[in-house]
Amino acid sequence: MLTQTERWGIFELTLQGPSGGNPFMDVKLSATFKYMNRTLTPEGFYDGNGVYKVRFMPDTVGEWTYITHSTVQELDGICGEFSCVEPTEDNHGPVRVKNRYHFAYEDGTPHFSFGTTCYVWNHQSQELQEQTLESLKAAPFNKIRMCLFPKHYDYNSNEPEHFVFPGSIADGWDFSRFDTEYFAALEQRIIQLQQLGIEADLILFHPYDRWGFSTMDAETDDFYLRYIVARLAAFRNIWWSMANEYELLKEKQMEDWDRFFKIVQENDPYQHLRSIHNWIVFYDYNKPWVTHCSIQHTELLLTKEWREQFHKPVVVDECRYEGDINHDWGNITAEDMVRRFWDGMVRGGYVGHGETYVGHKGDSEGLDEVLWWSHGGKLHGTSPERIEFLRRIVNEGPVGGLNPVPMSMLDGRAGEPGEYYLYYYGSQRPAFKILDLPEDREFSIEVIDSWNMTITPLEGTYNGKFRLELPGKQYIALRIQRKYA
Amino acid sequence: MLTQTERWGIFELTLQGPSGGNPFMDVKLSATFKYMNRTLTPEGFYDGNGVYKVRFMPDTVGEWTYITHSTVQELDGICGEFSCVEPTEDNHGPVRVKNRYHFAYEDGTPHFSFGTTCYVWNHQSQELQEQTLESLKAAPFNKIRMCLFPKHYDYNSNEPEHFVFPGSIADGWDFSRFDTEYFAALEQRIIQLQQLGIEADLILFHPYDRWGFSTMDAETDDFYLRYIVARLAAFRNIWWSMANEYELLKEKQMEDWDRFFKIVQENDPYQHLRSIHNWIVFYDYNKPWVTHCSIQHTELLLTKEWREQFHKPVVVDECRYEGDINHDWGNITAEDMVRRFWDGMVRGGYVGHGETYVGHKGDSEGLDEVLWWSHGGKLHGTSPERIEFLRRIVNEGPVGGLNPVPMSMLDGRAGEPGEYYLYYYGSQRPAFKILDLPEDREFSIEVIDSWNMTITPLEGTYNGKFRLELPGKQYIALRIQRKYA
């Protein structure tokens, strides 16, 4: 019987080859995978100790053949076949853009993005990483932003055990090789996230650096990118984020970012989602290699405008964090965090969560400076359960996602005209509103308190123009649905 | 003994003259007032029933003489004199721009502007007007925005008894005459405001109109403006606001607004403050006839930028209102209203209050649609006492007013470098902050909870760079003052 790999699983071809010299740089390896008249050619990579691998994510059920190509004779021309079988229940494939402004897994299941950020949770102690996974299991998030390089910044001073490159800050780095133990550990975490239904939004470059990883030369940058893509592209739950706060990498030019996008685009046979995250100035998301916006901005009321500017899904990955640290970006209230999620979603976008509590004195002393935003660990805030509540409402909404229904910027409203409307009044607190629904059909109305997580159906049915009494407090939403006889 | 008029009081010269024809249009009257080598020539006005008046606000103690000028012989060449004496205790003169970004009364007493808005309180029933004055007596406001014309808008449908012009909506208006009863009543209200220490920020034009006052021809506009200035300029507590939401007067061009400014500037002998209030697009406050900015905007964090753009005092007269009405601009929380005051003040500006509660069910039924913002009446909100608290703090601060001390936009800080700092963290809620004070002197620190209105002095003295623990909640300010031995 042929080796079986589930659809969107990984078929991994492991080969023995030369270990002398520097195989990371010296040996070229790839394999062409073929199903019927379709071929894909992922690059292979060197995994140390004379071991070479080619990873492949098949996307079609059936029998696939392959043949390797290499500059080394013993790795070249190796043939084989395997059988791609139906995926297991929770495997829906990689996430794709769908309906222009939204996402879905490749099997068509909608992916409504509810992301969080734990930039370097994978660079912390094993114990803390396990705790993060435990927390994620109970949290409402289905995407996590995380960095390949460690982070040097306020609250971030630890020295990880392994890095992308072998070496140390004292002895310097060997930028011509990779630390395969680092990657094995990273891959384990990506798999664990996959098991939790979480997309790993991998940040390839970032500016918070004391090691020199943000200032490598162009050749090293490209060498790094190709290795990353060769090793990681076959994991169905990864997204590529070229950078966090890209403008703060002062030595990189716009041409560098464009080139990085193109390298990833050319080398990733599966075309995982690609974006880049700004500090203040947006990258031009209209560039063809960008699949979606990955925005930092505090004003979610602009979400609809960004959709119209870029015609791509709008993910506001950072809009400040629930917390109480000294930095202005990290001490908003849970109310504000939840409001931003709603503000963005009823304008047709997606919003990212983050948490930065330093004052959670209930913890043991050693954890006092473990902030979810960077380190993972435990969630201390009160926004996640409200985000879960919102996620349930979005899941119950239009399967194609929420699109704004034209209205003023302040009155957010999403839905499908005539069928479904989700109004959200955010920080407004109207005692009433004049609504204007289609005349020719009946609607049910539910009043949602998005903070207290209640859904109150109103009696009767509604249509046309009428005055609706409201609670006169903040964070109220209305779910209005066409009533079928 | 000569007639005595206090400094910045009104010397009113009353003359009998012809009542035939249309004296409002036909008769020109002015008077030249002279003290030493200084002369001022206010225009006079017709007050009906053959009565003509010239009002004069003397600004210098001593003996003044006058002589009238008129196109009518019996009103021409009338001479006299009066004695200008020291002002009574609460009379500090008109408000002037001082220190470029601030205001002071002409006697040098600082005027820190804490305005409110009751657009057409003066067009309501006498009973309601009296109630408004009672409310103002207990409120922290020293300026009120109010309209000369009545208002037609949501919640504003009443028909006043008197208008600027004689006539009615049914019979039409006589735009060649003025209703002197209207003016007598208005002047009484201006005097009553004066007695409460409140500046009347008179709005000369506005777009909320069913009577045709927003669409008069240019000749009528100018005729109206000259009469207004002749009648009202001698009241020391008036400010001129050319318009509210000027862009919404669709039939007026920018040249019209410029001309209105110039008419007022040329005819007002006392040069009262002059501005104009936008809806969305700012008037160019850099124009020479503008004394200060009168801004509508929701983002007070921009206050410092507006100072730098216009180099004049920044008054944000509208930044939304505490309330619960259906309109987005009228249903913010008291917390938000107070935060906006602080946000603007620690960036060197002044902020205006307004209130729009429709849901205050405690009131008798008839008052349910009396909203402070337009009608006056009672204050129902909880922001005014916090604004009073802020006003006390500002009064205790630098006599020259609060100027921003360079810092990031989000961390507001005003004061005098090295002497006094007022920090305000607004909607942020840091658990601590790293402060950096001058090394060469000692400072005291008070932690202010601007919402709960508490001031907590910290023990000891501080200087240099240090970590300060904070309550980790919103609306916290710090008052840091140099400690003298």
Side-chain angles (χ1 to χ4, degrees), chain B residues 395-446:
Chain B
N395 281 336
E396 292 168 6
V399 71
L402 291 172
N403 292 302
V405 179
M407 217 167 166
S408 86
M409 193 158 116
L410 277 152
D411 281 339
R413 183 172 65 167
E416 283 175 15
E419 295 294 326
Y420 175 102
Y421 302 96
L422 191 63
Y423 286 71
Y424 177 62
Y425 298 114
S427 54
Q428 294 183 56
R429 42 171 200 168
F432 73 92
K433 276 279 178 180
I434 307 298
L435 298 189
D436 195 356
L437 299 174
E439 299 270 5
D440 63 347
R441 58 195 75 183
E442 295 293 323
F443 294 88
S444 68
I445 300 184
E446 292 161 301

Side-chain angles (χ1 to χ4, degrees), chain B residues 17-57:
Chain B
S19 60
N22 181 0
F24 291 103
M25 301 208 87
D26 303 341
V27 178
K28 301 283 168 235
L29 171 65
S30 65
T32 299
F33 290 82
K34 187 169 192 304
Y35 171 77
M36 309 287 277
N37 60 346
R38 183 146 167 274
T39 66
L40 291 163
T41 304
E43 299 243 6
F45 63 93
Y46 183 61
D47 200 26
N49 301 317
V51 175
Y52 294 78
K53 290 181 174 169
V54 184
R55 288 180 177 154
F56 178 62
M57 181 188 84

